[in-house]
């Protein structure tokens, strides 16, 4: 009836980060991203001053559900701290590394630097307006001495993903890590075109009877909403 509180979203993201580190299964990165863009950011009030304890599935934020305390003149909830903590966690998930090379999980604009030991240091700069569009450019800066792989997540929902590097294009399998191994050099660019087609998603198993007749429209990682 009341939905899930902001702390639940934060803990779910933390759990999926741990499972991703343990298993390397890209499904956990999918879950982290889905929760980040929808539940977590959706819990923050438009003015950015408060995180709602509950946000109902129809988008309303009833005042009686705002369990909050006033401390030294400031209105706070436990969700405020947990949601901010999870936002700060996102960059550590965006780009990780395995035993041989970088692993790109989230397409956030910015630069990541990694020390790959014998392969030297590498910097990856991501340029994108994702999830507004599915276009992602990853610029590589590397010592160019030793070959190593770069893996990047192909979301399970991206059914038709195009990968281009050095003028050559290929398709990537959804729900996997696409792996490119070569002797990278500064100036190399990986271009991704993720399939942002809107899809119809049925409610999951265990949904209460009242919600089983509904469907969600989802574009990329974003669950779409409309004004009644």
């Amino acid at each position: 009836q009341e939905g899930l509180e902001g702390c639940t979203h934060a803990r779910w993201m933390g759990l999926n980060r741990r499972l991703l580190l343990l298993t390397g299964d890209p499904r956990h990165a999918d879950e982290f991203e889905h929760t980040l863009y929808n539940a977590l950011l959706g819990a923050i009030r438009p003015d950015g001053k408060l995180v709602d304890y509950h946000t109902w599935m129809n988008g309303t934020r009833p005042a009686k559900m705002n369990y909050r305390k006033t401390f030294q003149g400031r209105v706070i909830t436990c969700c405020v701290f947990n949601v901010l903590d999870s936002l700060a966690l996102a960059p550590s998930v965006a780009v990780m590394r395995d035993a041989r090379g970088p692993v790109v999980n989230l397409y956030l604009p910015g630069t990541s630097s990694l020390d790959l030991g014998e392969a030297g240091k590498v910097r990856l700069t991501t340029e994108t307006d994702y999830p507004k569009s599915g276009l992602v450019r990853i610029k590589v800066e590397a010592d160019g001495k030793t070959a190593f792989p770069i893996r990047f997540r192909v979301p399970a929902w991206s059914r038709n993903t195009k990968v281009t590097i050095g003028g050559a294009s290929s398709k990537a399998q959804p729900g996997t890590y696409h792996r490119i191994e070569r002797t990278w050099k500064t100036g190399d660019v990986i271009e991704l075109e993720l399939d942002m087609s809107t899809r119809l998603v049925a409610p999951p198993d265990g949904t209460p009877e009242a919600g089983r007749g509904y469907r969600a429209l989802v574009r990329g990682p974003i669950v779409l909403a409309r004004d009644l």
Side-chain angles (χ1 to χ4, degrees), residues 10-212:
R11 298 286 73 80
W12 179 244
M13 290 169 67
L15 173 62
N16 275 282
R17 176 180 178 273
R18 290 289 183 179
L19 291 172
L20 178 62
L21 289 168
L22 287 170
T23 67
D25 190 330
R27 290 181 298 176
H28 299 301
D30 281 1
E31 283 293 326
F32 187 100
E33 178 185 70
H34 181 74
T35 307
L36 170 65
Y37 283 126
N38 295 283
L40 198 80
L41 292 177
I44 302 174
R45 292 207 169 191
D47 62 10
K49 294 181 179 180
L50 190 67
V51 172
D52 279 307
Y53 191 81
H54 288 297
T55 301
W56 290 359
M57 287 300 291
N58 65 4
T60 59
R61 304 164 186 261
K64 66 179 181 179
M65 298 308 304
N66 290 331
Y67 300 107
R68 48 177 122 167
K69 300 289 185 182
T70 300
F71 180 73
Q72 294 185 353
R74 292 194 174 189
V75 177
I76 61 172
T77 69
C78 58
C79 296
V80 170
F81 299 103
N82 284 313
V83 165
L84 292 179
D85 183 60
S86 293
L87 287 175
L89 189 67
S92 71
V93 175
V95 180
M96 296 178 171
R97 58 159 295 180
D98 60 13
R100 294 199 58 206
V103 181
V104 182
N105 293 302
L106 304 177
Y107 299 113
L108 305 177
T111 299
S112 298
S113 300
L114 302 95
D115 189 342
L116 303 182
E118 293 183 0
K121 295 181 179 179
V122 61
R123 285 165 53 92
L124 301 180
T125 299
T126 302
E127 299 176 347
T128 183
D129 64 353
Y130 175 85
K132 183 178 180 179
S133 78
L135 302 177
V136 181
R137 297 180 82 249
I138 302 175
K139 295 181 178 180
V140 181
E141 296 178 60
D143 291 344
K145 299 176 182 177
T146 306
F148 62 88
I150 296 178
R151 295 194 298 148
F152 50 90
R153 178 181 61 97
V154 182
W157 47 259
S158 184
R159 297 300 178 183
N160 186 25
T161 303
K162 181 181 177 182
V163 183
T164 303
I165 181 169
S169 297
S170 61
K171 298 293 185 181
Q173 185 70 23
T176 66
Y177 283 107
H178 190 76
R179 182 175 181 271
I180 302 175
E181 182 164 1
R182 57 187 284 170
T183 302
W184 299 92
K185 64 181 184 303
T186 297
D188 286 340
V189 177
I190 304 169
E191 295 183 339
L192 307 179
E193 293 183 36
L194 300 173
D195 184 358
M196 303 293 283
S197 301
T198 301
R199 58 200 186 278
L200 202 63
V201 178
D205 292 341
T207 297
E209 186 67 32
R212 292 181 188 174

